[in-house]
Amino acid sequence: MFYLIMCRSLTHAQRIANGLERAGIPARILRSPVEISPSGCSHSVRIPAQSLSRTLTVLNRMRLPYLGIYVSAAGYGYREVEP
């Protein structure tokens, strides 16, 4: 299981990923899956499931916008979660 933070642009995804990495949270940038971004125009930051709470703290402190947070569990697709 992992979480995706969907961002409006590659630049925002890079800023979020860099901030998370500085806070010791592993983060990887990827194109958002079609299931959560039908236009295919956005990027997401992937984080481990156990890092969600710390990630939300860092995101609030950084004040960078994101479009949504999605959870992925093996075989169940993606589901948006409330932060």
Side-chain angles (χ1 to χ4, degrees):
M1 187 165 80
F2 60 89
Y3 288 94
L4 291 178
I5 303 163
M6 192 164 69
C7 305
R8 67 180 187 183
S9 69
L10 177 58
T11 301
H12 278 255
Q14 290 169 332
R15 289 179 184 164
I16 287 173
N18 288 338
L20 294 175
E21 289 284 342
R22 281 193 304 271
I25 300 169
R28 193 178 100 207
I29 299 170
L30 56 128
R31 281 205 179 271
S32 297
V34 170
E35 296 93 337
I36 62 174
S37 177
S39 65
C41 303
S42 68
H43 287 78
S44 292
V45 178
R46 180 180 170 160
I47 60 165
Q50 65 272 19
S51 300
L52 181 61
S53 179
R54 285 185 45 222
T55 295
L56 292 174
T57 301
V58 171
L59 290 176
N60 287 333
R61 189 175 64 230
M62 291 170 49
R63 297 181 186 211
L64 284 174
Y66 57 91
L67 300 176
I69 298 177
Y70 296 82
V71 62
S72 173
Y76 295 104
Y78 297 93
R79 179 177 46 88
E80 189 168 11
V81 296
E82 294 294 321

